[in-house]
Structures are given as C-alpha cells and as structure tokens.
Amino acid sequence: MSDVTTVVGFIPLLDCAPLAVAAEKGFAAEEGLDLRLVRETSWANIRDRVVVGHFDAAHMLGPMAIASTLGVGHLKVPMAAPLSLGLGGNAITVSLRVWDLMVSEGAALSASPRALGEALRNVVRARERANKQPFTFAMVYPFSAHNYELRYWLAASGIDPDRDVRLLVIPPPLLVDAMREGQIDGFCVGEPWNSVAVSVGVGCIVLPTTAVWPLSPEKVLGCRLEWTQRHPDRLQALVRSLFKAALWCQQPQNHLELARLLSEPRFVGAPAEILLRGLSNRLCLQRGGEAEHLPEFYVPAAQAATFPWVSHALWFYSQMVRWGQVAFDPEHVAQVRATYRPDLYRLALADTTDIPSADTKIDALFDGVHFDPDDLPAYLKLLSHS
Amino acid sequence: MPEARPKTEPSLRVLIVDQNVMRASILEEGLREAGYLNVTVLREMHNLMRRIVDIDPEVIVIDLENPNRDVLEQMFQVSRVVRRPIAMFVDRSDTDMIVAAVDAGVGSYVVDGLKKERVKAVLDMAITRFHAFNKLREELDNARQALDERKIVERAKGILMKQRGMSEEAAYALLRKAAMNENRRLSEVAQSVVTASSLFK
C-alpha cells in the first residue's frame, strides 16, 4: 500500500494534532501508509483541493463536509466523514475594551454563559441607544462549528447575530491582529488563537466551548465519497492510524512533546507554551491571570471523541437551516445522515472495544434545550421560541 | 504564447485580488491586451469588503495562496453586502474548468447569471497567465539555487586551498571525488566542508 502516497490537507490549528502525530510518530507507517501532509491557508482551499482530487482527505470543518454533500454555497460533491478529529477546543474571545464594558454590566470571568450573555446584551443595547456602530464579531468560515456556537450563544442571550452585531469571516492566524487594530470586537476560533490573543494582551477569553457545549463536535476527516469507495484499504488504514494517533495525543505525558511538534512552522507555528494550554485543558482567560483548569476542553480521543456521531451532523444541519444558509428539506436529512460514516469507522476499528453501538445521541447545549436528532423541525421551533 | 483572442469586452468589470505584485501585473496586462479595459487590481487586503462593494465587479479572480478567500466566500453569502449575488467559480457544471483553475492556483467568482461565455475567456486567461507565472517562478528558483550551489562550492574550494595549501584544481578534484564516493551532490559535500570549517573556528 505504501507505494501510493496518501495526501492530506490541514489548517494550522491545535486539532490538526492527530494528523501531525500519525505522520511523525510512525502511526501511519505502522498501517502501511505513506502519509504526506500539506498545510493550507484557507478553508476554501481545503474544500477545493479535496473536490478536485489534490488531497485524498483533509482536516475539515464538520459543516463543510455537509455543505459539500448538499451543494450549498459551492459545488455539490458528496463527502464522507469516517472519523471525528476530536471534540471541543474552541473559545469565544472579546477585546479588552468590550470586556471592560461587560464588567461594568456585572460580568465576571468563569460566570455562566447566560450571565455573560446578559452582560453583553446590555452593552449592545446601550450602544444601540447611543447610536454607535454595532460590534463586529469574527469567525473562521460560514459553515463551521465556530459560526454556529457563536450565533447560538448570542441568540440565546437575546442578541440577534444578524441584526444586533456584524459577523464576518477572518482566517485564524489574522484574528489577533484584526482585534489589535480594532477591526473586530470579538471572535470564536479554535486554539491556539484565543490563548495567543490573551498572551499578547489584546483579548480576554469569555467562553471556552466547555461552557457552551461540553464535548461539542468540531472537525472531521473529510474525503470525497467516491474516494472512500475506490480506496477502502487506504481509508481503513488512515482511520486506524488517526485513531491511534489521537489516543497518543490524549495522554498527558505526551502533551509537552506534542506542543513542541505542533509549534514547528510546518504545523501550527505558534509558541509551544501557548499550544500546551489547550492541550492540557489549562487556559489563561486573561493576561496575567491564573490558568483555569477546564476539564475536557479539548478532547482528541477520550469519550469516543473520534466517533463520527450522525447526531452531530444533524445538529450542524439544523444550524445551517436556522441561520438561513439552506432551506429545510426532508430529503436533505438522509444526505446529511449519509455524510457522517460511523459504519466506516466501525469497519476500520473492528478489533477495538468501546465503540458506541448507536449512531445518534440526545445532546443539549448550555441553555438546556434538548436536541432530538430525529425531529429537526421540532428542535428548530424550540430554538426560535427560546 | 498561443492565446485565443476573445471578443473585446471593455465593459466587463474584472477584479484581481492578489498580493503578489508580479503575478497580478502579468494577469492585468494580459486582460488589457485582450481588450478588457475595466480591470482593477487589489493588493491591499485592508477593507476588502468596502473596496469590493465600491468596485462592484462582475468577475473576481483571486490567487489560491490568499487566506482572504474565506473572507470573500462569506461576503458573497451575505446578500446585503454585495449588490448582486456572486457565485463560486465560473459555472458549477464546468468541472474541467474548476480542476484547471485549482491546478493553476487560481480561484474565481462571478456574478450569478452572468453568461458563461463572457466569463470563460477571463478565466482561461487567468489560468494561462498563472501557469506562465508558476513557470517563471520555478525558473527563477532554479536559477537562484544554481547560483547558491556555485557559491557554496567556491567557498568550500577556498577553505580547502587555505587550510590544506591546495591549488584550486586540486581542491575542486577532491570535492568531486568525495561527492562521487559518497554518492552525494557536489554542493552537498561543499556545504559539509563549509559547516565543518565553521565549527572549527
């Protein structure tokens, strides 16, 4: 098998870790894979280069795989997500100026998402009354967990993400500069970029994903459906090697070595000390503050973190509908379900124990609204009233 | 360069978003020669959204190395930002064109509903010019590498001549012999000599 190179694209973010480890620590070679990683500069490139076959697979935003299958926003190319690249790892950061305003409305670090959201809403309303420009928040891509998490929190706090604030896309490595220059007032992004903003003194982490939705879905290994059908052996080898690499990433004794590896410019290119914060679940929420222990902030492998829950795909779809990216269509539901592939995951890991036997589960975010994956219209109705 | 001359389209508003000055100029020049007079080049990514709204382009050509592609894609989804809806790439059905574009390292976005033939010539031109630029860059890289290699061999020769009192020919012969024996490139052997000598300083 190793006479064919398997090319996988990635974006410099903490959760590319299993890919880096599979390539560098021999897990891919053990499975007979000649794995070549290619660092990319935009999510659009990840999508396009998977679509045209430059990449066999990629570190992909979960919602991006779904959008591609449905042909929303771009070409309709059916994707398959046979593995999840971990859970959590994101946070919402606001500029120090916004944080000061929130504090004057009674906000405190580590307060509940509700209390923090209320403080932000008061600040937003006060700006409205003063006829000031609305705040600008950034996220990394329209079809991303970051976009939906940020919108969910804003909406649950009584802030309309399309009317009360401006939302725009800025690539992760450019976010901190944009905040420093005052172009944006807040953002939602994966690590290490929240911790970078804190360490250079431009922002303050208000909400790690653990507060919004513990063990929330993030990226997947995304490939063209057609590729998975043509190369079942390579696909299985890839899933197995990433599964093992993710287990390695989960071990605390490996975190320092992993942080150093990811700090290399060919991977993430951020200081190892900063990368270590997300890996070890210890984030400094503001500069000079004590590191906060946030259990299960970023989970590469534990808690079935690599399992591609079909209910996660359905939640992403529900948010695409909620925010008007696509109109609800019962026919979409089958296509969304077919994008996440627990069957391929189980096939590749047949010798492994502790694999979930169900494909879906009931989830709830911080506001306690239950997400029933089998009844999306009812869920959307609940959200519109909450 | 064999380029099909399309009908001139002085009115079609084309925007080139490229931080590489040389590549942007190569494309701009090609388009102007072909009769596209309404071409704007954006090299500065600051205030991208405002600039695009002002220019109101019908076709946008962007290099794929540009992280601002993601910024563009979101702008097109937010209909109130741009006056007219913009579609991804030239035509969703034209897969060959998309493959050719991505291969060349160029992406393009067009106003939805714009006739395919009006856009195709622009994208063809972009693909051709991007390839030409890639070739140029490759040649430059090769030339630079050859120059660097020659320089390192000269330095290694100098070190051997000085430290072992050799003639220039003998120093060169010694390097060549070592390269042949070790099955390495001459420049690699020369580099080891230079590195080793710097350690003994």
Side-chain angles (χ1 to χ4, degrees), chain B residues 32-133:
Chain B
R32 286 196 192 283
E33 276 173 15
Y36 295 89
L37 303 180
N38 215 330
V39 179
T40 313
V41 179
L42 262 188
R43 296 188 188 94
E44 182 53 54
M45 297 301 133
H46 213 70
N47 262 331
L48 191 63
M49 194 180 301
R50 165 65 53 78
R51 297 292 307 275
I52 291 180
V53 170
D54 291 346
I55 295 161
D56 191 26
E58 289 158 292
V59 180
I60 300 175
V61 176
I62 181 169
D63 68 292
L64 293 194
E65 293 155 30
N66 201 323
N68 289 290
R69 272 194 82 196
D70 287 346
V71 180
L72 277 184
E73 296 212 348
Q74 185 235 3
M75 286 174 48
F76 304 150
Q77 287 208 327
V78 186
S79 49
R80 62 185 170 167
V81 173
V82 278
R83 264 169 260 177
R84 285 165 299 181
I86 293 194
M88 311 287 165
F89 282 106
V90 57
D91 180 337
R92 294 187 189 204
S93 60
D94 198 343
T95 320
D96 288 349
M97 188 64 122
I98 290 165
V99 173
V102 176
D103 276 341
V106 58
S108 78
Y109 301 95
V110 301
V111 166
D112 225 357
L114 198 64
K115 278 211 169 59
K116 190 172 161 181
E117 53 273 21
R118 290 191 69 195
V119 184
K120 193 177 178 308
V122 174
L123 194 53
D124 275 339
M125 170 73 74
I127 291 170
T128 312
R129 295 274 159 155
F130 264 65
H131 274 309
F133 175 81

Side-chain angles (χ1 to χ4, degrees), chain A residues 54-237:
Chain A
H54 286 186
F55 296 154
D56 296 310
H59 175 222
M60 195 180 269
L61 298 159
M64 174 178 261
I66 295 161
S68 184
T69 295
L70 298 178
V72 179
H74 194 64
L75 299 173
K76 185 175 164 73
V77 178
M79 291 283 164
L83 174 112
S84 150
L85 285 169
L87 300 172
N90 299 334
I92 297 171
T93 294
V94 299
S95 69
L96 297 183
R97 189 173 63 98
V98 172
W99 178 242
D100 284 345
L101 293 169
M102 286 172 69
V103 168
S104 64
E105 291 293 338
L109 284 180
S110 306
S112 70
R114 270 201 191 286
L116 287 160
E118 220 174 273
L120 181 64
R121 188 187 60 223
N122 291 340
V123 175
V124 166
R125 292 288 171 257
R127 282 180 81 80
E128 244 170 45
R129 284 193 299 273
N131 276 322
K132 286 188 185 160
Q133 288 280 312
F135 284 136
T136 302
F137 279 80
M139 35 83 189
V140 299
Y141 198 71
F143 301 102
S144 68
H146 317 85
N147 186 19
Y148 305 142
E149 279 162 15
L150 179 60
R151 283 170 174 272
Y152 197 100
W153 176 58
L154 292 172
S157 309
I159 301 167
D160 185 326
D162 287 313
R163 211 192 53 219
D164 298 338
V165 295
R166 272 196 297 246
L167 264 186
L168 50 90
V169 162
I170 296 184
L174 309 182
L175 281 171
V176 175
D177 281 340
M179 185 172 272
R180 186 189 284 120
E181 290 164 15
Q183 290 176 44
I184 53 173
D185 304 293
F187 55 69
C188 182
V189 69
E191 279 292 277
W193 305 107
N194 297 288
S195 290
V196 171
V198 168
S199 76
V200 299
V202 307
C204 169
I205 298 177
V206 287
L207 277 179
T209 34
T210 29
V212 180
W213 185 2
L215 303 173
S216 49
E218 238 312 309
K219 289 172 203 82
V220 294
L221 178 75
C223 6
R224 269 172 303 135
L225 175 63
E226 176 260 329
W227 186 84
T228 65
Q229 290 158 345
R230 261 191 307 128
H231 304 285
D233 294 346
R234 273 159 77 197
L235 176 77
Q236 287 195 25

Side-chain angles (χ1 to χ4, degrees), chain A residues 36-56:
Chain A
R36 187 163 77 84
L37 300 181
V38 180
R39 185 181 143 129
E40 261 306 341
T41 54
S42 70
W43 288 112
N45 277 12
I46 288 277
R47 176 201 59 210
D48 293 344
R49 299 188 72 184
V50 168
V51 164
V52 307
H54 286 186
F55 296 154
D56 296 310

